Amino acid sequence: MKFLCLFLLGAGLWLAPGPGRACDICGCFMGITPYDNQSSLSLMHRYRIFNGYQAYGQSPQFFPAGARPFFPSPLNGDNGYEHSHAGDPTDFEAFRVIELRGKYFLSQRVELNAFVPYVMNTSQINGRQLNSSGVGDVTVFAGYHLIRAIETAGVQSRLIVGGGLKLPTGEFTRQNAQGHRYPLLNQVGTGTTDGFIYANYIGSYRSFGLSVNSSYRRSTENRFLNSLAPSTATFASLFYRLPLGENWQVYPSAEFFYEKTQGEMLDGRLTGEHAMNNALLGPGLGVYYKNLSLNTSFQLPVYNADTDHPVSAGRLVLAVGYSFKQTKYLLHGKS
């Protein structure tokens, strides 16, 4: 059976660096899918949560009071929000994305991808909450299958390299009633054009497999001279294929995610806001019936570097997809 581990990012992310956006880089891929160079459409929902202050001995919670994993209430609203961390244990930052994703293979080795996100961010500080929702920054990228060793005696090996852009399509100028612009990560867009590169290696033997994907991202400044520092993300997935009859397949997995960024920048200088250095670990599951797929991933923190902001408390990813039986390509004709 031929397959490719296309990892979550859950990514979420995604996907610009920073809380809720760094995972968008790993979000260039989703799930563990039967691999036959099929173009596809999918709909993905990502929930990323930050809460608990390390300096006060507070433990992060995956579902803190007031944080809804799917949709905030209201979608947009401000009840007197001020961005000032003072150790309130009820503080949290929730980042949600519903994303339409398309993949098209130009040939057996060249793929094009586009993600269109609807962003729903919530920040609650000192009992005051801000909700910001809307169409976010569109991501486009291409990948080249540098190594494409189809199954030989049960062994497979693949290496995909590529890169792309996150475009400044989302609104990034929202402000409160006093005319003060909300912080960058409370906007639905960044106003920056970001470039990223990645490499994804997949190796498998019979039903066992391992995928490792690493990416690097840099951001331009928006018109407020605001940007996000360069970021890196690494995702690893250890998976097992369970064929169930002629049309069904199940892929349980263990997934590890690590991200690092120095956070926000203003006029080329670090502000000290939203630096991240954390790792997440948890189970994943992919279920496939013919051309239909359902993927889910749930990860909790195993490492959080010291920070005076709410720490990473985990993420949840759900995705449904449909793969087309592609037999012809714009390049090189038939498969």
Side-chain angles (χ1 to χ4, degrees):
M1 178 65 188
K2 299 178 285 184
F3 57 87
L4 169 65
C5 178
L6 299 180
F7 71 87
L8 297 166
L9 250 359
L13 172 344
W14 46 122
L15 172 315
R21 292 199 172 104
C23 59
D24 292 345
I25 301 173
C26 74
C28 292
F29 311 95
M30 55 169 287
I32 298 162
T33 66
Y35 174 77
D36 54 4
N37 285 77
Q38 289 187 352
S39 297
S40 62
L41 286 174
S42 60
L43 191 66
M44 175 181 285
H45 174 81
R46 295 194 309 277
Y47 165 76
R48 186 76 190 272
I49 186 69
F50 295 78
N51 73 93
Y53 293 93
Q54 292 174 314
Y56 295 91
Q58 299 170 7
S59 299
Q61 300 178 37
F62 195 76
F63 297 116
R68 302 180 177 215
F70 294 102
F71 300 96
S73 181
L75 287 175
N76 292 284
D78 179 355
N79 64 356
Y81 173 86
E82 291 185 9
H83 190 84
S84 177
H85 296 285
D88 190 324
T90 66
D91 289 0
F92 69 84
E93 294 174 330
F95 301 88
R96 314 167 195 83
V97 178
I98 295 178
E99 193 167 58
L100 178 64
R101 300 181 165 208
K103 176 193 294 290
Y104 180 72
F105 277 90
L106 292 174
S107 72
Q108 288 186 331
R109 291 183 181 269
V110 180
E111 62 177 75
L112 300 179
N113 297 264
F115 302 161
V116 181
Y118 185 83
V119 177
M120 297 169 287
N121 297 333
T122 300
S123 181
Q124 178 172 297
I125 296 179
N126 303 320
R128 306 285 182 154
Q129 192 173 106
L130 169 66
N131 290 300
S132 302
S133 301
V135 176
D137 293 339
V138 172
T139 297
V140 292
F141 68 95
Y144 181 74
H145 295 230
L146 189 64
I147 297 175
R148 186 176 180 270
I150 304 301
E151 186 170 341
T152 302
V155 178
Q156 299 181 61
S157 183
R158 308 184 192 279
L159 176 62
I160 306 167
V161 295
L165 296 172
K166 180 201 68 64
L167 306 174
T169 55
E171 186 179 0
F172 65 101
T173 60
R174 294 188 182 185
Q175 56 188 24
N176 61 20
Q178 291 72 44
H180 299 296
R181 179 173 169 263
Y182 292 125
L184 181 63
L185 294 181
N186 296 125
Q187 304 284 344
V188 299
T190 62
T192 66
T193 299
D194 301 356
F196 64 91
I197 56 174
Y198 70 90
N200 185 199
Y201 176 77
I202 311 102
S204 68
Y205 177 68
R206 299 187 184 276
S207 294
F208 289 94
L210 174 67
S211 173
V212 180
N213 190 305
S214 292
S215 60
Y216 174 78
R217 191 167 197 156
R218 292 189 67 93
S219 170
T220 63
E221 291 183 341
N222 59 30
R223 63 186 177 90
F224 298 102
L225 302 181
N226 207 191
S227 64
L228 293 163
S231 68
T232 59
T234 296
F235 181 93
S237 177
L238 179 65
F239 57 89
Y240 184 79
R241 181 175 66 89
L242 291 172
L244 301 177
E246 183 179 352
N247 297 317
W248 290 88
Q249 296 181 61
V250 176
Y251 287 77
S253 60
E255 300 182 348
F256 173 82
F257 176 62
Y258 173 75
E259 61 187 338
K260 184 176 182 180
T261 176
Q262 292 182 295
E264 292 185 49
M265 302 183 70
L266 182 63
D267 197 15
R269 298 182 179 180
L270 293 171
T271 66
E273 293 289 320
H274 297 292
M276 291 200 305
N277 184 1
N278 59 71
L280 303 171
L281 179 66
L285 182 67
V287 179
Y288 301 88
Y289 175 72
K290 293 184 178 180
N291 291 55
L292 300 174
S293 64
L294 172 65
N295 295 89
T296 183
S297 176
F298 175 78
Q299 299 171 350
L300 295 174
V302 292
Y303 171 74
N304 276 307
D306 292 338
T307 176
D308 58 357
H309 284 64
V311 298
S312 174
R315 68 172 184 162
L316 172 69
V317 181
L318 298 170
V320 293
Y322 180 83
S323 297
F324 300 93
K325 293 183 178 179
Q326 185 173 359
T327 58
K328 295 183 179 180
Y329 304 95
L330 290 179
L331 304 178
H332 308 306
K334 294 183 179 180
S335 60

